[in-house]
Short mmCIF file of all heavy atoms in Angstrom, two decimals:
data_model
loop_
_atom_site.label_atom_id
_atom_site.label_comp_id
_atom_site.label_asym_id
_atom_site.label_seq_id
_atom_site.Cartn_x
_atom_site.Cartn_y
_atom_site.Cartn_z
N MET H 1 22.33 -8.29 -1.28
CA MET H 1 21.30 -8.50 -2.30
C MET H 1 20.62 -7.08 -2.57
O MET H 1 20.22 -6.45 -1.62
CB MET H 1 20.30 -9.46 -1.79
CG MET H 1 19.31 -9.90 -2.82
SD MET H 1 18.50 -11.34 -2.20
CE MET H 1 16.83 -10.93 -2.76
N GLU H 2 20.47 -6.76 -3.80
CA GLU H 2 19.91 -5.54 -4.14
C GLU H 2 18.38 -5.56 -4.08
O GLU H 2 17.75 -6.54 -4.55
CB GLU H 2 20.35 -5.09 -5.54
CG GLU H 2 20.05 -3.71 -5.95
CD GLU H 2 20.62 -3.28 -7.29
OE1 GLU H 2 21.75 -3.59 -7.49
OE2 GLU H 2 19.80 -2.75 -8.14
N GLU H 3 17.67 -4.52 -3.57
CA GLU H 3 16.31 -4.52 -3.55
C GLU H 3 15.80 -4.13 -4.87
O GLU H 3 16.43 -3.38 -5.63
CB GLU H 3 15.80 -3.39 -2.55
CG GLU H 3 15.85 -3.89 -1.08
CD GLU H 3 15.24 -2.90 -0.14
OE1 GLU H 3 14.18 -2.36 -0.57
OE2 GLU H 3 15.83 -2.59 0.92
N ALA H 4 14.60 -4.57 -5.21
CA ALA H 4 13.98 -4.23 -6.52
C ALA H 4 13.55 -2.77 -6.45
O ALA H 4 13.12 -2.33 -5.38
CB ALA H 4 12.75 -5.12 -6.75
N ALA H 5 13.70 -2.15 -7.47
CA ALA H 5 13.41 -0.70 -7.58
C ALA H 5 11.89 -0.53 -7.48
O ALA H 5 11.12 -1.30 -8.17
CB ALA H 5 13.95 -0.09 -8.91
N ILE H 6 11.43 0.37 -6.73
CA ILE H 6 10.02 0.78 -6.67
C ILE H 6 9.82 1.74 -7.78
O ILE H 6 10.39 2.79 -7.81
CB ILE H 6 9.67 1.22 -5.33
CG1 ILE H 6 9.91 0.10 -4.24
CG2 ILE H 6 8.07 1.68 -5.33
CD1 ILE H 6 9.52 0.58 -2.86
N ASN H 7 8.81 1.46 -8.61
CA ASN H 7 8.49 2.40 -9.74
C ASN H 7 7.63 3.60 -9.31
O ASN H 7 7.06 3.57 -8.20
CB ASN H 7 7.78 1.66 -10.77
CG ASN H 7 8.58 0.63 -11.49
OD1 ASN H 7 9.69 0.87 -11.88
ND2 ASN H 7 8.20 -0.66 -11.62
N TRP H 8 7.55 4.58 -10.29
CA TRP H 8 6.75 5.75 -9.96
C TRP H 8 5.39 5.48 -10.60
O TRP H 8 5.16 4.75 -11.62
CB TRP H 8 7.36 6.87 -10.85
CG TRP H 8 8.62 7.39 -10.30
CD1 TRP H 8 9.93 7.05 -10.67
CD2 TRP H 8 8.81 8.27 -9.20
NE1 TRP H 8 10.84 7.73 -9.83
CE2 TRP H 8 10.20 8.48 -8.94
CE3 TRP H 8 7.90 9.09 -8.46
CZ2 TRP H 8 10.68 9.28 -7.96
CZ3 TRP H 8 8.38 9.91 -7.46
CH2 TRP H 8 9.78 10.02 -7.15
N TRP H 9 4.37 5.99 -9.92
CA TRP H 9 2.92 5.91 -10.32
C TRP H 9 2.35 7.20 -10.17
O TRP H 9 2.63 8.04 -9.33
CB TRP H 9 2.22 4.90 -9.34
CG TRP H 9 2.63 3.47 -9.56
CD1 TRP H 9 3.79 2.94 -9.05
CD2 TRP H 9 2.00 2.44 -10.31
NE1 TRP H 9 3.87 1.54 -9.48
CE2 TRP H 9 2.77 1.21 -10.16
CE3 TRP H 9 0.78 2.41 -10.92
CZ2 TRP H 9 2.33 0.10 -10.80
CZ3 TRP H 9 0.35 1.21 -11.53
CH2 TRP H 9 1.25 0.10 -11.45
N ALA H 10 1.36 7.44 -11.06
CA ALA H 10 0.39 8.54 -10.90
C ALA H 10 -0.81 8.12 -10.14
O ALA H 10 -1.58 7.20 -10.63
CB ALA H 10 0.00 9.09 -12.25
N GLU H 11 -0.95 8.72 -8.90
CA GLU H 11 -2.20 8.31 -8.13
C GLU H 11 -3.18 9.44 -8.39
O GLU H 11 -2.89 10.62 -7.98
CB GLU H 11 -1.85 8.28 -6.65
CG GLU H 11 -3.07 7.98 -5.76
CD GLU H 11 -2.72 8.16 -4.28
OE1 GLU H 11 -2.75 9.29 -3.78
OE2 GLU H 11 -2.35 7.20 -3.58
N ILE H 12 -4.38 9.09 -8.88
CA ILE H 12 -5.31 10.20 -9.21
C ILE H 12 -6.56 9.82 -8.45
O ILE H 12 -7.11 8.82 -8.59
CB ILE H 12 -5.64 10.31 -10.77
CG1 ILE H 12 -4.38 10.50 -11.46
CG2 ILE H 12 -6.74 11.26 -10.99
CD1 ILE H 12 -4.46 10.58 -12.97
N THR H 13 -7.00 10.78 -7.55
CA THR H 13 -8.12 10.59 -6.77
C THR H 13 -9.16 11.53 -7.30
O THR H 13 -8.91 12.71 -7.69
CB THR H 13 -7.84 11.04 -5.32
OG1 THR H 13 -6.79 10.22 -4.78
CG2 THR H 13 -8.99 10.99 -4.43
N THR H 14 -10.43 11.00 -7.41
CA THR H 14 -11.58 11.83 -7.79
C THR H 14 -12.57 11.83 -6.63
O THR H 14 -12.74 10.84 -5.95
CB THR H 14 -12.28 11.26 -8.98
OG1 THR H 14 -12.72 9.94 -8.81
CG2 THR H 14 -11.32 11.28 -10.24
N MET H 15 -13.14 13.06 -6.40
CA MET H 15 -14.19 13.21 -5.33
C MET H 15 -15.55 12.74 -5.81
O MET H 15 -16.31 12.24 -5.00
CB MET H 15 -14.30 14.69 -5.01
CG MET H 15 -13.05 15.25 -4.34
SD MET H 15 -12.60 14.49 -2.77
CE MET H 15 -11.09 13.56 -3.24
N SER H 16 -15.82 12.79 -7.09
CA SER H 16 -17.09 12.32 -7.58
C SER H 16 -16.80 11.70 -8.94
O SER H 16 -16.56 12.42 -9.85
CB SER H 16 -18.09 13.45 -7.77
OG SER H 16 -19.31 13.02 -8.35
N PRO H 17 -16.88 10.37 -9.11
CA PRO H 17 -17.15 9.35 -8.01
C PRO H 17 -15.94 9.31 -7.19
O PRO H 17 -14.80 9.70 -7.50
CB PRO H 17 -17.27 8.11 -8.85
CG PRO H 17 -16.38 8.24 -10.06
CD PRO H 17 -16.61 9.78 -10.47
N ARG H 18 -16.19 8.85 -5.86
CA ARG H 18 -15.13 8.70 -4.85
C ARG H 18 -14.25 7.48 -5.24
O ARG H 18 -14.58 6.42 -4.76
CB ARG H 18 -15.58 8.71 -3.51
CG ARG H 18 -16.27 9.97 -3.02
CD ARG H 18 -16.53 10.06 -1.62
NE ARG H 18 -15.51 9.75 -0.72
CZ ARG H 18 -14.61 10.67 -0.30
NH1 ARG H 18 -14.56 11.84 -0.84
NH2 ARG H 18 -13.62 10.39 0.52
N CYS H 19 -13.06 7.79 -6.06
CA CYS H 19 -12.26 6.69 -6.42
C CYS H 19 -10.77 7.14 -6.40
O CYS H 19 -10.47 8.28 -6.34
CB CYS H 19 -12.62 6.26 -7.92
SG CYS H 19 -14.20 5.52 -8.07
N VAL H 20 -9.92 6.07 -6.35
CA VAL H 20 -8.46 6.33 -6.45
C VAL H 20 -8.04 5.50 -7.58
O VAL H 20 -8.33 4.21 -7.56
CB VAL H 20 -7.78 5.89 -5.13
CG1 VAL H 20 -6.26 6.23 -5.32
CG2 VAL H 20 -8.24 6.86 -3.99
N TYR H 21 -7.35 5.98 -8.51
CA TYR H 21 -6.83 5.28 -9.68
C TYR H 21 -5.30 5.37 -9.63
O TYR H 21 -4.72 6.38 -9.38
CB TYR H 21 -7.22 6.02 -10.97
CG TYR H 21 -8.81 6.02 -11.02
CD1 TYR H 21 -9.46 7.17 -10.71
CD2 TYR H 21 -9.47 5.08 -11.65
CE1 TYR H 21 -10.77 7.33 -10.83
CE2 TYR H 21 -10.98 5.09 -11.76
CZ TYR H 21 -11.57 6.30 -11.33
OH TYR H 21 -12.89 6.42 -11.43
N TYR H 22 -4.64 4.23 -9.97
CA TYR H 22 -3.15 4.19 -10.14
C TYR H 22 -2.80 3.93 -11.60
O TYR H 22 -3.33 3.05 -12.18
CB TYR H 22 -2.54 3.08 -9.31
CG TYR H 22 -2.66 3.39 -7.79
CD1 TYR H 22 -3.80 3.06 -6.96
CD2 TYR H 22 -1.77 4.22 -7.19
CE1 TYR H 22 -3.84 3.39 -5.69
CE2 TYR H 22 -1.82 4.51 -5.86
CZ TYR H 22 -2.83 4.09 -5.13
OH TYR H 22 -2.86 4.41 -3.73
N PHE H 23 -2.01 4.81 -12.17
CA PHE H 23 -1.52 4.64 -13.51
C PHE H 23 0.01 4.53 -13.50
O PHE H 23 0.65 5.38 -12.95
CB PHE H 23 -1.97 5.86 -14.37
CG PHE H 23 -3.42 5.98 -14.42
CD1 PHE H 23 -4.08 6.99 -13.63
CD2 PHE H 23 -4.11 5.24 -15.33
CE1 PHE H 23 -5.42 7.12 -13.72
CE2 PHE H 23 -5.48 5.45 -15.52
CZ PHE H 23 -6.24 6.26 -14.66
N GLY H 24 0.54 3.47 -14.18
CA GLY H 24 1.89 3.26 -14.24
C GLY H 24 2.07 1.79 -14.52
O GLY H 24 1.20 1.11 -15.02
N PRO H 25 3.25 1.33 -14.27
CA PRO H 25 4.44 1.96 -13.55
C PRO H 25 5.28 2.70 -14.55
O PRO H 25 5.20 2.41 -15.80
CB PRO H 25 5.13 0.78 -13.12
CG PRO H 25 4.95 -0.38 -13.98
CD PRO H 25 3.55 -0.06 -14.55
N PHE H 26 5.92 3.76 -14.15
CA PHE H 26 6.86 4.50 -14.83
C PHE H 26 8.26 4.38 -14.17
O PHE H 26 8.41 4.30 -12.97
CB PHE H 26 6.42 5.97 -14.82
CG PHE H 26 5.10 6.24 -15.50
CD1 PHE H 26 4.02 6.29 -14.52
CD2 PHE H 26 4.87 6.21 -16.73
CE1 PHE H 26 2.72 6.53 -15.11
CE2 PHE H 26 3.65 6.42 -17.33
CZ PHE H 26 2.52 6.53 -16.49
N GLU H 27 9.25 4.38 -15.02
CA GLU H 27 10.69 4.23 -14.53
C GLU H 27 11.18 5.55 -13.89
O GLU H 27 12.07 5.48 -13.05
CB GLU H 27 11.65 3.90 -15.70
CG GLU H 27 11.43 2.32 -16.09
CD GLU H 27 12.41 1.88 -17.08
OE1 GLU H 27 13.60 2.55 -17.09
OE2 GLU H 27 12.19 0.83 -17.66
N THR H 28 10.72 6.67 -14.44
CA THR H 28 11.07 7.93 -13.88
C THR H 28 9.90 8.90 -13.57
O THR H 28 8.85 8.71 -14.07
CB THR H 28 11.98 8.77 -14.85
OG1 THR H 28 11.18 9.17 -15.99
CG2 THR H 28 13.22 7.93 -15.36
N ILE H 29 10.18 9.82 -12.64
CA ILE H 29 9.17 10.77 -12.23
C ILE H 29 8.69 11.58 -13.48
O ILE H 29 7.56 11.95 -13.64
CB ILE H 29 9.55 11.65 -11.02
CG1 ILE H 29 8.32 12.44 -10.49
CG2 ILE H 29 10.69 12.53 -11.50
CD1 ILE H 29 8.64 13.14 -9.21
N ASP H 30 9.65 11.86 -14.37
CA ASP H 30 9.38 12.72 -15.59
C ASP H 30 8.39 11.99 -16.50
O ASP H 30 7.56 12.62 -17.14
CB ASP H 30 10.78 13.03 -16.34
CG ASP H 30 11.46 14.09 -15.51
OD1 ASP H 30 10.95 14.90 -14.75
OD2 ASP H 30 12.72 14.14 -15.74
N GLU H 31 8.57 10.64 -16.60
CA GLU H 31 7.59 9.78 -17.46
C GLU H 31 6.26 10.01 -16.81
O GLU H 31 5.25 10.07 -17.58
CB GLU H 31 8.07 8.39 -17.48
CG GLU H 31 9.31 8.17 -18.41
CD GLU H 31 9.77 6.77 -18.35
OE1 GLU H 31 8.98 5.84 -17.85
OE2 GLU H 31 10.74 6.35 -18.97
N ALA H 32 6.07 9.78 -15.58
CA ALA H 32 4.82 9.87 -14.90
C ALA H 32 4.17 11.25 -15.12
O ALA H 32 3.02 11.38 -15.33
CB ALA H 32 4.85 9.58 -13.35
N ARG H 33 4.97 12.27 -14.94
CA ARG H 33 4.47 13.66 -15.09
C ARG H 33 4.04 13.90 -16.55
O ARG H 33 2.96 14.65 -16.73
CB ARG H 33 5.51 14.65 -14.76
CG ARG H 33 5.77 14.80 -13.23
CD ARG H 33 6.82 15.81 -12.94
NE ARG H 33 7.04 16.02 -11.51
CZ ARG H 33 8.12 16.33 -10.90
NH1 ARG H 33 9.16 16.68 -11.71
NH2 ARG H 33 8.24 16.50 -9.61
N ALA H 34 4.67 13.34 -17.49
CA ALA H 34 4.33 13.50 -18.83
C ALA H 34 3.05 12.81 -19.27
O ALA H 34 2.30 13.15 -20.09
CB ALA H 34 5.45 13.16 -19.81
N ALA H 35 2.78 11.69 -18.53
CA ALA H 35 1.65 10.85 -18.89
C ALA H 35 0.36 11.14 -18.23
O ALA H 35 -0.75 11.00 -18.80
CB ALA H 35 1.99 9.34 -18.55
N TYR H 36 0.32 11.74 -16.99
CA TYR H 36 -0.82 11.96 -16.25
C TYR H 36 -1.91 12.84 -16.85
O TYR H 36 -3.06 12.55 -16.70
CB TYR H 36 -0.63 12.16 -14.78
CG TYR H 36 -0.30 13.72 -14.36
CD1 TYR H 36 -1.56 14.59 -14.41
CD2 TYR H 36 0.87 14.19 -14.14
CE1 TYR H 36 -1.25 15.95 -14.11
CE2 TYR H 36 1.07 15.59 -13.91
CZ TYR H 36 -0.03 16.34 -13.89
OH TYR H 36 0.13 17.68 -13.53
N PRO H 37 -1.57 13.85 -17.61
CA PRO H 37 -2.58 14.67 -18.23
C PRO H 37 -3.50 14.01 -19.05
O PRO H 37 -4.69 14.31 -19.08
CB PRO H 37 -1.66 15.84 -18.97
CG PRO H 37 -0.39 15.88 -18.26
CD PRO H 37 -0.10 14.42 -17.88
N GLY H 38 -3.06 12.94 -19.81
CA GLY H 38 -3.86 12.15 -20.62
C GLY H 38 -4.98 11.42 -19.76
O GLY H 38 -6.08 11.30 -20.17
N TYR H 39 -4.49 10.94 -18.65
CA TYR H 39 -5.37 10.17 -17.76
C TYR H 39 -6.40 11.18 -17.19
O TYR H 39 -7.70 10.78 -17.06
CB TYR H 39 -4.69 9.56 -16.64
CG TYR H 39 -3.58 8.52 -17.11
CD1 TYR H 39 -2.21 8.62 -16.59
CD2 TYR H 39 -3.83 7.48 -18.01
CE1 TYR H 39 -1.28 7.74 -17.05
CE2 TYR H 39 -2.81 6.67 -18.47
CZ TYR H 39 -1.49 6.76 -18.01
OH TYR H 39 -0.53 5.89 -18.40
N VAL H 40 -6.06 12.29 -16.82
CA VAL H 40 -6.97 13.31 -16.25
C VAL H 40 -7.95 13.76 -17.33
O VAL H 40 -9.16 13.88 -17.00
CB VAL H 40 -6.14 14.62 -15.75
CG1 VAL H 40 -7.10 15.67 -15.35
CG2 VAL H 40 -5.32 14.17 -14.56
N LYS H 41 -7.50 13.88 -18.56
CA LYS H 41 -8.37 14.28 -19.65
C LYS H 41 -9.44 13.21 -19.80
O LYS H 41 -10.62 13.46 -19.96
CB LYS H 41 -7.64 14.50 -20.91
CG LYS H 41 -8.41 14.90 -22.07
CD LYS H 41 -7.64 15.13 -23.35
CE LYS H 41 -8.54 15.45 -24.53
NZ LYS H 41 -7.75 15.64 -25.81
N ASP H 42 -9.14 11.96 -19.73
CA ASP H 42 -10.02 10.79 -19.89
C ASP H 42 -10.99 10.84 -18.70
O ASP H 42 -12.26 10.71 -18.90
CB ASP H 42 -9.35 9.48 -19.87
CG ASP H 42 -8.54 9.22 -21.26
OD1 ASP H 42 -8.78 9.97 -22.21
OD2 ASP H 42 -7.70 8.34 -21.23
N LEU H 43 -10.56 11.00 -17.53
CA LEU H 43 -11.44 11.01 -16.36
C LEU H 43 -12.35 12.25 -16.49
O LEU H 43 -13.58 12.07 -16.18
CB LEU H 43 -10.63 11.12 -15.14
CG LEU H 43 -9.93 9.72 -14.71
CD1 LEU H 43 -8.91 9.94 -13.69
CD2 LEU H 43 -10.92 8.59 -14.36
N ASP H 44 -11.88 13.31 -16.79
CA ASP H 44 -12.69 14.54 -16.97
C ASP H 44 -13.82 14.35 -18.03
O ASP H 44 -14.93 14.72 -17.83
CB ASP H 44 -11.82 15.68 -17.41
CG ASP H 44 -12.60 17.10 -17.26
OD1 ASP H 44 -13.25 17.30 -16.28
OD2 ASP H 44 -12.45 17.81 -18.32
N GLY H 45 -13.36 13.70 -19.10
CA GLY H 45 -14.29 13.32 -20.16
C GLY H 45 -15.46 12.47 -19.79
O GLY H 45 -16.61 12.42 -20.33
N GLU H 46 -15.18 11.61 -18.68
CA GLU H 46 -16.12 10.70 -18.13
C GLU H 46 -16.97 11.48 -17.03
O GLU H 46 -17.83 10.74 -16.43
CB GLU H 46 -15.41 9.47 -17.59
CG GLU H 46 -14.83 8.61 -18.58
CD GLU H 46 -14.03 7.45 -18.09
OE1 GLU H 46 -14.01 7.17 -16.79
OE2 GLU H 46 -13.28 6.89 -18.92
N GLY H 47 -16.66 12.70 -16.84
CA GLY H 47 -17.49 13.46 -15.81
C GLY H 47 -17.00 13.44 -14.35
O GLY H 47 -17.75 13.84 -13.48
N ALA H 48 -15.75 13.03 -14.09
CA ALA H 48 -15.20 13.02 -12.84
C ALA H 48 -14.99 14.42 -12.38
O ALA H 48 -14.65 15.30 -13.09
CB ALA H 48 -13.90 12.21 -12.81
N LYS H 49 -15.18 14.63 -11.08
CA LYS H 49 -15.05 15.88 -10.52
C LYS H 49 -14.09 15.92 -9.27
O LYS H 49 -13.94 14.86 -8.59
CB LYS H 49 -16.41 16.46 -9.93
CG LYS H 49 -17.48 16.55 -10.99
CD LYS H 49 -17.10 17.62 -12.06
CE LYS H 49 -18.28 17.64 -13.05
NZ LYS H 49 -17.86 17.97 -14.32
N GLY H 50 -13.46 16.98 -9.00
CA GLY H 50 -12.57 17.02 -7.82
C GLY H 50 -11.31 16.21 -8.00
O GLY H 50 -10.94 15.39 -7.19
N ILE H 51 -10.60 16.38 -9.08
CA ILE H 51 -9.42 15.48 -9.48
C ILE H 51 -8.13 16.00 -8.71
O ILE H 51 -7.84 17.09 -8.82
CB ILE H 51 -9.24 15.40 -10.96
CG1 ILE H 51 -10.43 14.87 -11.61
CG2 ILE H 51 -7.96 14.62 -11.31
CD1 ILE H 51 -10.46 14.93 -13.17
N ILE H 52 -7.50 15.09 -8.05
CA ILE H 52 -6.22 15.35 -7.41
C ILE H 52 -5.17 14.40 -7.85
O ILE H 52 -5.41 13.18 -7.89
CB ILE H 52 -6.38 15.19 -5.80
CG1 ILE H 52 -7.54 16.10 -5.29
CG2 ILE H 52 -5.08 15.38 -5.01
CD1 ILE H 52 -8.02 15.76 -3.91
N ILE H 53 -3.96 14.92 -8.16
CA ILE H 53 -2.91 14.08 -8.77
C ILE H 53 -1.76 14.01 -7.80
O ILE H 53 -1.32 15.11 -7.42
CB ILE H 53 -2.49 14.57 -10.07
CG1 ILE H 53 -3.62 14.63 -11.12
CG2 ILE H 53 -1.31 13.71 -10.67
CD1 ILE H 53 -4.18 16.03 -11.37
N VAL H 54 -1.21 12.90 -7.52
CA VAL H 54 0.02 12.80 -6.69
C VAL H 54 0.86 11.79 -7.54
O VAL H 54 0.45 10.67 -7.80
CB VAL H 54 -0.30 12.21 -5.26
CG1 VAL H 54 1.04 11.97 -4.56
CG2 VAL H 54 -1.15 13.06 -4.55
N ILE H 55 2.18 12.30 -7.69
CA ILE H 55 3.11 11.35 -8.37
C ILE H 55 3.91 10.81 -7.19
O ILE H 55 4.61 11.53 -6.45
CB ILE H 55 4.03 12.06 -9.31
CG1 ILE H 55 3.13 12.86 -10.43
CG2 ILE H 55 4.95 11.17 -10.08
CD1 ILE H 55 2.29 12.03 -11.27
N GLN H 56 4.08 9.47 -7.09
CA GLN H 56 4.81 8.91 -6.01
C GLN H 56 5.39 7.57 -6.37
O GLN H 56 4.91 6.90 -7.37
CB GLN H 56 3.96 8.77 -4.78
CG GLN H 56 2.73 7.91 -5.06
CD GLN H 56 1.80 7.77 -3.88
OE1 GLN H 56 2.16 8.08 -2.75
NE2 GLN H 56 0.56 7.28 -4.07
N ARG H 57 6.34 7.11 -5.59
CA ARG H 57 6.88 5.77 -5.66
C ARG H 57 5.99 4.86 -4.75
O ARG H 57 5.88 5.22 -3.55
CB ARG H 57 8.28 5.69 -5.30
CG ARG H 57 9.23 6.28 -6.29
CD ARG H 57 10.68 6.09 -5.86
NE ARG H 57 11.52 6.57 -6.85
CZ ARG H 57 12.51 5.95 -7.34
NH1 ARG H 57 12.95 4.85 -6.82
NH2 ARG H 57 13.34 6.43 -8.36
N CYS H 58 5.55 3.80 -5.38
CA CYS H 58 4.71 2.89 -4.49
C CYS H 58 4.56 1.61 -5.28
O CYS H 58 4.98 1.44 -6.41
CB CYS H 58 3.33 3.56 -4.16
SG CYS H 58 2.20 3.91 -5.63
N GLN H 59 3.85 0.68 -4.73
CA GLN H 59 3.50 -0.67 -5.31
C GLN H 59 1.99 -0.88 -5.02
O GLN H 59 1.63 -1.67 -4.10
CB GLN H 59 4.31 -1.70 -4.76
CG GLN H 59 5.82 -1.54 -5.09
CD GLN H 59 6.65 -2.61 -4.47
OE1 GLN H 59 6.56 -2.89 -3.30
NE2 GLN H 59 7.56 -3.22 -5.28
N PRO H 60 1.16 -0.30 -5.77
CA PRO H 60 -0.32 -0.44 -5.52
C PRO H 60 -0.76 -1.86 -5.67
O PRO H 60 -0.21 -2.60 -6.58
CB PRO H 60 -1.07 0.36 -6.53
CG PRO H 60 -0.02 0.62 -7.64
CD PRO H 60 1.40 0.54 -7.04
N LYS H 61 -1.55 -2.40 -4.71
CA LYS H 61 -2.18 -3.75 -4.81
C LYS H 61 -3.25 -3.78 -5.79
O LYS H 61 -3.60 -4.87 -6.39
CB LYS H 61 -2.57 -4.18 -3.47
CG LYS H 61 -1.32 -4.44 -2.52
CD LYS H 61 -1.81 -5.01 -1.14
CE LYS H 61 -0.70 -5.27 -0.19
NZ LYS H 61 0.60 -4.89 -0.35
N GLU H 62 -4.06 -2.63 -5.77
CA GLU H 62 -5.19 -2.54 -6.82
C GLU H 62 -5.04 -1.31 -7.54
O GLU H 62 -4.53 -0.29 -7.11
CB GLU H 62 -6.47 -2.41 -5.98
CG GLU H 62 -6.89 -3.73 -5.20
CD GLU H 62 -8.20 -3.60 -4.43
OE1 GLU H 62 -9.18 -3.36 -5.20
OE2 GLU H 62 -8.25 -3.64 -3.24
N LEU H 63 -5.47 -1.27 -8.87
CA LEU H 63 -5.24 -0.23 -9.63
C LEU H 63 -6.40 0.80 -9.61
O LEU H 63 -6.28 2.00 -9.94
CB LEU H 63 -5.00 -0.56 -11.11
CG LEU H 63 -3.70 -1.44 -11.34
CD1 LEU H 63 -3.58 -1.77 -12.80
CD2 LEU H 63 -2.46 -0.68 -10.76
N THR H 64 -7.59 0.36 -9.27
CA THR H 64 -8.80 1.20 -9.06
C THR H 64 -9.53 0.84 -7.74
O THR H 64 -9.79 -0.37 -7.59
CB THR H 64 -9.76 0.90 -10.32
OG1 THR H 64 -9.12 1.26 -11.55
CG2 THR H 64 -11.08 1.85 -10.13
N ILE H 65 -9.70 1.86 -6.92
CA ILE H 65 -10.42 1.63 -5.67
C ILE H 65 -11.52 2.67 -5.54
O ILE H 65 -11.21 3.88 -5.59
CB ILE H 65 -9.38 1.82 -4.47
CG1 ILE H 65 -8.23 0.88 -4.66
CG2 ILE H 65 -10.16 1.53 -3.09
CD1 ILE H 65 -7.10 1.18 -3.71
N CYS H 66 -12.79 2.16 -5.60
CA CYS H 66 -13.92 3.07 -5.50
C CYS H 66 -14.60 2.79 -4.20
O CYS H 66 -14.63 1.72 -3.67
CB CYS H 66 -14.83 2.90 -6.73
SG CYS H 66 -14.18 3.46 -8.25
N GLU H 67 -15.30 3.91 -3.73
CA GLU H 67 -15.97 3.83 -2.48
C GLU H 67 -16.98 2.68 -2.44
O GLU H 67 -17.09 1.98 -1.40
CB GLU H 67 -16.72 5.17 -2.26
CG GLU H 67 -17.29 5.24 -0.87
CD GLU H 67 -17.95 6.67 -0.64
OE1 GLU H 67 -18.97 6.93 -1.20
OE2 GLU H 67 -17.33 7.42 0.19
N ASP H 68 -17.76 2.47 -3.45
CA ASP H 68 -18.73 1.27 -3.43
C ASP H 68 -18.03 0.00 -3.50
O ASP H 68 -18.67 -1.06 -3.30
CB ASP H 68 -19.69 1.46 -4.58
CG ASP H 68 -19.06 1.38 -6.02
OD1 ASP H 68 -17.84 1.73 -6.07
OD2 ASP H 68 -19.73 1.12 -6.99
N SER H 69 -16.78 -0.16 -3.70
CA SER H 69 -16.13 -1.49 -3.74
C SER H 69 -15.36 -1.73 -2.39
O SER H 69 -14.76 -2.74 -2.19
CB SER H 69 -15.10 -1.58 -4.90
OG SER H 69 -14.08 -0.68 -4.76
N ILE H 70 -15.43 -0.77 -1.47
CA ILE H 70 -14.67 -0.97 -0.18
C ILE H 70 -15.52 -1.69 0.79
O ILE H 70 -16.82 -1.67 0.86
CB ILE H 70 -14.43 0.41 0.42
CG1 ILE H 70 -13.42 1.06 -0.50
CG2 ILE H 70 -13.79 0.27 1.82
CD1 ILE H 70 -13.09 2.60 -0.13
#
């Protein structure tokens, strides 16, 4: 039996506010790389600081995790 493919996601962490956002899913790493600058621009426009981007294969259970919701 074939395992389901795990999709690519853009994990974007911000230091202020302290949050982790997941954007996706994407079928390829190239799709994720092409899409994340738009998400970063939106977060920057909202005043987010200390933005870190990681493109990875994962299956996030939550799409937004903020320090105050932990």
Side-chain angles (χ1 to χ4, degrees):
M1 187 168 142
E2 188 175 313
E3 282 188 42
I6 297 176
N7 290 311
W8 291 95
W9 289 78
E11 177 190 88
I12 301 179
T13 303
T14 58
M15 296 295 111
S16 177
R18 291 190 56 80
C19 294
V20 179
Y21 304 92
Y22 290 93
F23 297 97
F26 301 99
E27 290 188 18
T28 68
I29 192 171
D30 290 335
E31 288 177 8
R33 285 180 177 154
Y36 86 77
Y39 304 130
V40 170
K41 182 178 178 184
D42 288 346
L43 290 169
D44 189 52
E46 293 174 11
K49 303 292 182 215
I51 298 172
I52 301 166
I53 303 104
V54 176
I55 305 297
Q56 63 182 339
R57 285 183 175 226
C58 63
Q59 294 177 314
K61 291 183 178 11
E62 295 181 58
L63 299 181
T64 302
I65 305 164
C66 291
E67 188 175 71
D68 60 335
S69 65
I70 296 173

